[in-house]
């Protein structure tokens, strides 16, 4: 399987999302205010030095890769956990779902509020610069959403899947995941996604809609000393 996905943050910022990032040498990150995701191209000392120079004092950056994460000297590991990367192998074709609507700039505040409540992963008011998002509203309330995050040649990550706690059990996560996967596929890319290894409910959902395990992953939040 394509090695681009072994270091998805790095490969996204080195290719299709280079315009959303910054960095030099063997370290790259999304611009401040978009996402606190960063990556190194290799694990050698020069890459770690490039990363140390890229982070701001006191700043926390999140890393996601197949190889074990090596912190630069002096960086504090705030959290570290195993994750999984799954890729679409047989996503079923579904009929259009009238309840699912595109989300735009006017929805950004509602999207951030829902993400802050449900914590599907790093999210900001500028997350829509990464890709398309869709959601479900009940009345005026945004109760569920999902969208696109990292992009590499031939691949797009399905991300930001979340449902308001008061509206769970209605199948919104499944319906939105299928919808976004279909949109990615129709655009000519292959959907993939990430989940924490302990999140068996999410993994089971994704398996049920045609995703299979591609690789175990490592995720960590590292803080640069002040």
């Amino acid at each position: 399987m394509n090695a681009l996905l072994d270091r998805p943050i790095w490969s996204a910022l080195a290719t299709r999302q280079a315009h959303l990032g910054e960095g030099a040498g063997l370290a790259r990150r999304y611009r401040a205010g978009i996402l606190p995701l960063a990556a190194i191209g290799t694990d050698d000392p020069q890459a770690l030095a490039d990363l140390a120079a890229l982070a701001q004092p006191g700043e926390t950056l999140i890393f996601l890769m197949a190889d074990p994460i090596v912190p630069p000297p002096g960086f504090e590991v705030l959290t570290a956990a195993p994750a999984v990367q799954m890729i679409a192998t047989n996503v079923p074709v579904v009929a259009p779902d009238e309840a699912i609507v595109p989300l735009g700039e006017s929805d950004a505040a509602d999207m951030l509020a829902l993400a802050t409540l449900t914590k599907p992963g790093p999210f900001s008011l500028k997350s829509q610069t990464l890709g398309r998002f869709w959601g479900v509203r009940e009345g005026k309330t945004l109760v569920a959403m999902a969208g696109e995050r990292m992009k590499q040649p031939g691949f797009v990550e399905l991300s930001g899947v979340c449902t308001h706690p008061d509206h769970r059990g209605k199948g919104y996560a499944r319906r939105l995941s299928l919808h976004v996967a279909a949109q990615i596929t129709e655009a000519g890319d292959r959907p993939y996604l990430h989940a924490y290894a302990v999140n068996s409910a999410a993994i089971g959902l994704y398996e049920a809609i045609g995703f299979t395990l591609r690789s175990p992953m490592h995720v960590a939040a590292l803080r640069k000393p002040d």
Side-chain angles (χ1 to χ4, degrees):
M1 187 61 68
N2 199 303
L4 286 171
L5 300 185
D6 289 344
R7 296 186 184 228
I9 300 171
W10 170 263
S11 57
L13 291 173
T15 58
R16 294 175 67 180
Q17 293 180 326
H19 62 292
L20 299 176
E22 58 187 13
L26 292 170
R28 291 190 172 95
R29 59 171 295 173
Y30 285 95
R31 293 198 304 271
I34 298 178
L35 286 178
L37 301 182
I40 50 178
T42 70
D43 294 329
D44 62 33
Q46 184 57 55
L48 295 176
D50 291 342
L51 174 61
L54 185 60
Q56 299 299 312
E59 184 177 26
T60 298
L61 295 174
I62 297 172
F63 297 78
L64 173 70
M65 51 195 272
D67 296 322
I69 296 168
V70 180
F75 274 58
E76 178 185 3
V77 180
L78 298 181
T79 62
V84 296
Q85 184 181 86
M86 305 179 73
I87 193 160
T89 53
N90 187 29
V91 176
V93 176
V94 294
D97 191 330
E98 294 183 357
I100 297 175
V101 297
L103 300 176
E105 291 184 9
S106 63
D107 302 297
D110 288 345
M111 295 167 67
L112 180 61
L114 181 60
T116 301
L117 176 66
T118 59
K119 297 178 172 55
F123 199 87
S124 77
L125 286 171
K126 296 183 179 179
S127 288
Q128 289 184 68
T129 61
L130 301 167
R132 301 169 294 173
F133 279 81
W134 293 266
V136 175
R137 288 186 178 274
E138 291 195 7
K140 295 183 177 180
T141 303
L142 181 66
V143 299
M145 69 175 181
E148 302 170 334
R149 188 169 66 173
M150 291 184 282
K151 297 181 179 181
Q152 300 82 10
F155 300 94
V156 173
E157 182 194 22
L158 190 166
S159 185
V161 182
C162 56
T163 303
H164 192 287
D166 294 342
H167 297 272
R168 288 174 182 161
K170 300 179 180 181
Y172 287 147
R174 182 181 189 278
R175 289 159 59 185
L176 280 161
S177 296
L178 282 168
H179 181 85
V180 177
Q183 295 294 321
I184 293 171
T185 302
E186 288 173 11
D189 293 305
R190 190 169 183 183
Y192 74 102
L193 54 85
H194 297 97
Y196 283 107
V198 296
N199 194 347
S200 56
I203 293 171
L205 165 65
Y206 298 134
E207 288 176 336
I209 64 172
F211 284 80
T212 57
L213 175 68
R214 177 189 174 269
S215 175
M217 302 291 281
H218 298 84
V219 59
L222 308 180
R223 181 182 180 274
K224 183 176 181 177
D226 295 319

